[in-house]
């Protein structure tokens, strides 16, 4: 019995390795290792840290696409809301900590900041769903993808300009979340902030994966993504799930924004770069594929790091864009695009 | 009366499909709705299941009006709908699909009982429990769709086209399992294009033509009716 199970697992693993997804993952790992041997450990470290944060933004984007069918171009603005919240929450905390270096806030301050950003991000998601997307859903079922796409672009413009109007266009940043000496891994110095940003990303991705796989609500979200009518038939209320999904994906973007405030100071259009990165990832991984997005985030991060390393830092958007064009031509469903499709599904 | 549909008018947008449809289903009955293509059979079931909203008319379930409720609320009242397209969650395993079927059940023990019941009825699904629903054959998917519909222990099971796209042997299997369910006391309303077969196994039937109920009565009587024989059976 046990041998049979073992054999089956090996068979499945072997089959996966031969699939496009498996080949790409293996190629990514090999290239990352080769580059690390060639140029030193910081290539790997940079890839992992950039990848972790990109994964957060990209997962939210994949979720919005898969469950709500919205090609979200305002996702970067929830990242911006995250940075803004983090700035206004953490600045008073850090002034307090400067005068009281022994207080517990030295440790808890950054965590409180991230949680605050998460809550504000989730609320922003709920507000946009209630005020904007559910209104459109009531009025238009035809051309939904196009209409909602235009709406997200409009929402993005409104949010960017609202930031500029109410908070000004200057850079609102912090120097650091965590004081102390950098950590050394593989002869590379990593600032504590970067290390913690990766830990944060890893914890959130793991928690999110657990939620989507094992909880009743997470399963319901996946069910809605796979078949809306099927979800209705088994008794899942669509409106609640759509609202929850929107707030979850916005909260993920806001967490990423707060986690990276030390690198990206808050200003109106801070969200554009993470938005583009996330779209690269989502197209690479296949639209609406949430777990593929995590893997894709590390691939895009590696690509970016390697481009900066070997070609030049001005090229880090050109090479991923070129790759996206190639993928759209040859494999429009993305590398992890699901091959499992029902006979009757369109 | 378990289900009572009175003067139902329904359709999509400006296109009206059903005109003054009235029908009833009693507890424990095995009722069929037959008719030619485009007569509105599927629309009738979808309207009862809350996926299409009625233009006028009443749908009473256990005496309670459910016509204006959305699909998820209707499902919670105890009506399970097995659609023609099956609407399975193709990227979930068989077991996960069945678990989703029990979404409205809070009681873990009851969920387990229902799962055993469904696996008992369709032993094939046990073999395939860890397979993705999208990778299964048409017959297995149909079994899974019916199984998922049975998970919440519904008071009424609506089955749309159980034989659609299936080989004759599999059709036989599916009808046999519906028979088993009826003998266990499940109330079933089935829509079919395979008129001969359906009238042979069901208790009572309605004939739908151009969105209106043309004939109704005991299935054995309908099978002998001159009009039915001429239109559907070609004899």
């Amino acid at each position: 019995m046990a041998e049979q199970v073992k054999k089956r697992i090996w068979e499945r693993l072997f089959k996966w390795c031969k699939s496009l997804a498996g080949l790409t993952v293996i190629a990514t790992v090999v290239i990352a290792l080769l580059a690390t041997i060639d140029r030193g450990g910081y290539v790997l470290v940079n890839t992992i840290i950039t990848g972790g944060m990109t994964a957060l933004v990209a997962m939210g984007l994949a979720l919005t696409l898969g469950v709500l069918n919205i090609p979200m171009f305002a996702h970067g603005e929830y990242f911006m809301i995250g940075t803004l919240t983090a700035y206004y929450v953490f600045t008073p905390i850090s002034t307090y900590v400067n005068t009281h270096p022994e207080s517990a806030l030295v440790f808890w301050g950054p965590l409180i900041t991230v949680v605050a950003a998460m809550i504000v991000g989730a609320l922003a998601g709920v507000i946009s769903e209630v005020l904007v997307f559910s209104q459109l859903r009531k009025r238009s079922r035809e051309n939904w993808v196009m209409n909602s796409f235009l709406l997200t672009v409009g929402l993005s413009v409104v949010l960017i300009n609202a930031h500029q109007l109410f908070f000004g266009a200057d850079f609102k940043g912090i120097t650091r979340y965590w004081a102390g000496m950098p950590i050394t891994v593989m002869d590379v110095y990593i600032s504590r902030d970067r290390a913690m940003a990766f830990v944060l990303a890893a914890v959130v991705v793991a928690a999110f994966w657990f939620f989507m796989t094992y909880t009743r609500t997470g399963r319901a979200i996946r069910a809605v993504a796979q078949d809306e009518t099927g979800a209705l038939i088994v008794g899942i209320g669509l409106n609640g799930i759509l609202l929850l999904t929107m707030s979850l994906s916005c909260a993920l973007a806001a967490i990423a924004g707060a986690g990276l405030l030390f690198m990206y100071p808050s200003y109106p259009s801070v969200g554009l770069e993470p938005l583009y990165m996330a779209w690269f990832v989502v197209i690479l991984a296949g639209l609406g594929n949430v777990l593929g997005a995590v893997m894709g985030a590390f691939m895009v991060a590696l690509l970016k790091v390697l481009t900066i390393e070997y070609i030049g830092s001005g090229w880090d958007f050109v090479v991923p864009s070129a790759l996206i064009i190639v993928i759209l031509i040859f494999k429009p469903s993305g590398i992890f695009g699901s091959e499992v499709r029902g006979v009757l599904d369109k | 009366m378990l289900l009572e549909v009175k003067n139902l008018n329904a359709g999509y947008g400006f296109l009206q499909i059903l005109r003054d449809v009235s029908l009833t289903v009693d507890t424990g009955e095995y009722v069929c709705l037959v008719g030619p293509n485009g007569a509105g059979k599927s629309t009738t079931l979808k309207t009862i299941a809350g996926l299409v909203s009625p233009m006028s008319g009443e749908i009473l379930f256990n005496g309670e009006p459910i016509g204006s409720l959305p699909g998820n609320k209707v499902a919670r009242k105890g009506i399970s709908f097995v659609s023609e397209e099956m609407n399975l969650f193709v990227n979930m395993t068989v077991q996960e699909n069945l678990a989703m079927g029990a979404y409205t059940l809070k009681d873990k023990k009851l969920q387990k009982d229902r799962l055993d019941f469904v696996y008992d009825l369709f032993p094939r699904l046990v073999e395939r429990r860890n397979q993705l629903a999208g990778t299964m054959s048409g017959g297995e998917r149909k079994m899974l769709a019916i199984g998922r519909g049975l998970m919440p222990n519904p008071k009424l099971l609506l089955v749309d086209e159980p034989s659609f796209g299936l080989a004759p042997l599999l059709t036989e299997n599916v009808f046999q399992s519906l028979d088993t369910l009826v003998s266990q006391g499940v109330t079933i309303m089935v829509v079919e294009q395979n008129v001969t077969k359906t009238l042979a196994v069901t208790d009572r039937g309605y004939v739908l033509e151009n969105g209106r109920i043309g004939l109704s009565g005991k299935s054995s009587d309908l099978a002998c009716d001159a009009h039915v024989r001429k239109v559907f059976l070609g004899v």
Side-chain angles (χ1 to χ4, degrees):
Chain A
M1 188 65 194
E3 231 167 63
Q4 221 172 10
V5 172
K6 215 173 175 183
K7 200 178 151 202
R8 200 179 295 161
I9 290 172
W10 274 113
E11 256 169 29
R12 209 174 273 182
L13 201 67
F14 193 62
K15 206 174 152 198
W16 178 80
C17 286
K18 279 199 295 187
S19 71
L20 184 59
L23 284 177
T24 345
V25 171
I26 292 169
T28 312
V29 173
V30 169
I31 291 172
L33 289 179
L34 287 179
T36 311
I37 293 166
D38 188 30
R39 292 292 168 106
Y42 66 94
V43 173
L44 198 61
V45 170
N46 274 350
T47 305
I48 289 175
I49 289 174
T50 323
M53 276 296 154
T54 313
L56 286 190
V57 185
M59 255 176 5
L61 196 64
L63 200 63
T64 334
L65 257 172
V67 180
L68 293 100
N69 258 326
I70 299 175
M72 189 65 160
F73 273 81
H75 208 60
E77 274 51 72
Y78 298 98
F79 181 91
M80 178 267 279
I81 288 174
T83 58
L84 195 65
T85 315
Y87 173 76
Y88 281 109
V89 173
F90 192 69
T91 312
I93 291 179
S94 78
T95 13
Y96 178 80
V97 166
N98 276 340
T99 49
H100 304 77
E102 289 84 37
S103 97
L105 278 179
V106 174
F107 178 75
W108 290 106
L111 297 182
I112 292 171
T113 310
V114 168
V115 171
M118 183 182 88
I119 292 168
V120 173
L123 276 179
V126 169
I127 292 169
S128 0
E129 164 67 19
V130 171
L131 288 187
V132 182
F133 297 111
S134 76
Q135 300 302 324
L136 181 67
R137 204 168 290 121
K138 262 182 233 159
R139 284 164 179 76
S140 115
R141 269 281 170 191
E142 282 163 51
N143 271 331
W144 164 259
V145 172
M146 190 62 190
N147 286 343
S148 60
F149 158 68
L150 290 173
L151 213 55
T152 64
V153 175
L155 189 62
S156 160
V157 172
V158 169
L159 287 175
I160 288 177
N161 285 289
H163 180 140
Q164 188 154 352
L165 183 63
F166 295 114
F167 303 99
D170 48 339
F171 289 84
K172 297 171 277 291
I174 56 166
T175 45
R176 58 168 188 227
Y177 276 126
W178 310 84
M181 290 300 289
I183 303 162
T184 328
V185 180
M186 291 158 63
D187 294 331
V188 192
Y189 292 104
I190 313 164
S191 75
R192 284 178 181 238
D193 277 6
R194 293 184 137 231
M196 288 309 282
F198 174 70
V199 172
L200 176 71
V203 169
V204 174
V205 169
F208 183 72
W209 177 80
F210 181 85
F211 169 75
M212 289 295 278
T213 319
Y214 292 110
T215 65
R216 182 170 175 267
T217 318
R219 280 212 191 110
I221 292 180
R222 277 164 57 215
V224 173
Q226 288 174 31
D227 199 311
E228 259 183 52
T229 313
L232 264 182
I233 291 174
V234 298
I236 298 170
L238 279 187
N239 289 338
I241 292 292
L242 296 182
L243 192 66
L244 178 72
T245 308
M246 193 71 178
S247 68
L248 256 180
S249 80
C250 293
L252 285 175
I255 291 175
L260 290 179
L261 181 64
F262 62 94
M263 278 167 77
Y264 295 89
S266 188
Y267 61 97
S269 55
V270 65
L272 288 183
E273 195 193 326
L275 175 73
Y276 294 150
M277 289 281 284
W279 269 104
F280 290 154
V281 171
V282 166
I283 294 172
L284 181 81
L287 302 178
N289 185 336
V290 176
L291 288 179
V294 177
M295 209 45 233
F298 287 100
M299 289 181 190
V300 170
L302 177 71
L303 201 63
K304 239 184 115 167
V305 170
L306 290 187
T307 312
I308 294 173
E309 187 62 33
Y310 288 96
I311 301 176
S313 60
W315 292 84
D316 59 340
F317 266 98
V318 180
V319 174
S321 311
L323 181 76
I324 293 307
I325 293 172
V326 172
I327 287 176
L328 282 176
I329 293 172
F330 292 104
K331 188 88 172 52
S333 60
I335 292 172
F336 302 104
S338 150
E339 278 132 11
V340 184
R341 278 278 176 259
V343 185
L344 289 162
D345 297 314
K346 283 151 223 146
Chain B
M1 211 45 80
L2 187 64
L3 176 78
E4 216 172 343
V5 175
K6 288 182 195 160
N7 302 325
L8 184 68
N9 289 287
Y12 309 93
F14 294 109
L15 182 67
Q16 188 175 354
I17 309 270
L18 301 182
R19 292 165 203 279
D20 278 333
V21 170
S22 298
L23 53 87
T24 59
V25 179
D26 216 345
T27 310
E29 263 190 322
Y30 189 6
V31 178
C32 72
L33 190 61
V34 294
N37 255 339
K41 307 184 298 290
S42 293
T43 310
T44 311
L45 287 199
K46 280 185 188 162
T47 314
I48 297 171
L51 301 179
V52 172
S53 40
M55 294 166 175
S56 68
E58 254 188 308
I59 306 172
L60 299 175
F61 186 62
N62 273 334
E64 203 181 335
I66 56 163
S68 56
L69 296 180
N72 59 315
K73 299 255 170 68
V74 174
R76 278 161 196 269
K77 297 271 177 215
I79 298 183
S80 264
F81 176 46
V82 180
S83 64
E84 191 180 339
E85 309 85 33
M86 295 174 269
N87 295 102
L88 293 174
F89 307 121
V90 288
N91 284 330
M92 289 188 189
T93 62
V94 168
Q95 182 116 22
E96 279 179 306
N97 265 282
L98 292 175
M100 287 315 300
Y103 183 76
T104 50
L105 296 184
K106 291 270 196 290
D107 185 354
K108 282 263 163 21
K109 166 107 177 46
L110 197 59
Q111 286 181 13
K112 180 85 184 51
D113 288 352
R114 294 306 298 170
L115 193 65
D116 291 343
F117 173 80
V118 170
Y119 278 155
D120 234 28
L121 188 68
F122 299 113
R124 180 71 72 85
L125 294 182
V126 186
E127 295 164 29
R128 309 265 165 175
R129 60 166 68 180
N130 290 322
Q131 193 175 335
L132 292 184
T135 63
M136 297 204 302
S137 73
E140 289 163 348
R141 283 151 174 256
K142 200 54 115 183
M143 289 175 194
L144 179 55
I146 296 174
R148 191 183 65 179
L150 286 169
M151 282 300 287
N153 198 7
K155 297 189 185 98
L156 173 65
L157 185 69
L158 305 171
V159 188
D160 196 357
E161 300 279 358
S163 74
F164 180 77
L166 294 190
L169 190 65
L170 287 172
T171 310
E172 201 59 43
N173 275 346
V174 170
F175 270 109
Q176 262 168 21
S177 45
L178 290 182
D179 268 349
T180 316
L181 285 173
V182 171
S183 64
Q184 288 171 358
V186 181
T187 313
I188 299 182
M189 181 166 173
V190 64
V191 153
E192 250 303 327
Q193 287 193 23
N194 186 344
V195 179
T196 334
K197 176 77 201 160
T198 319
L199 289 179
V201 295
T202 50
D203 305 334
R204 213 154 55 75
Y206 291 91
V207 179
L208 202 61
E209 277 175 288
N210 294 322
R212 291 171 203 280
I213 299 279
L215 280 166
S216 65
K218 284 177 77 173
S219 295
S220 47
D221 294 346
L222 284 178
C224 305
D225 185 89
H227 178 70
V228 172
R229 288 176 74 86
K230 187 157 155 268
V231 174
F232 298 111
L233 308 179
V235 285

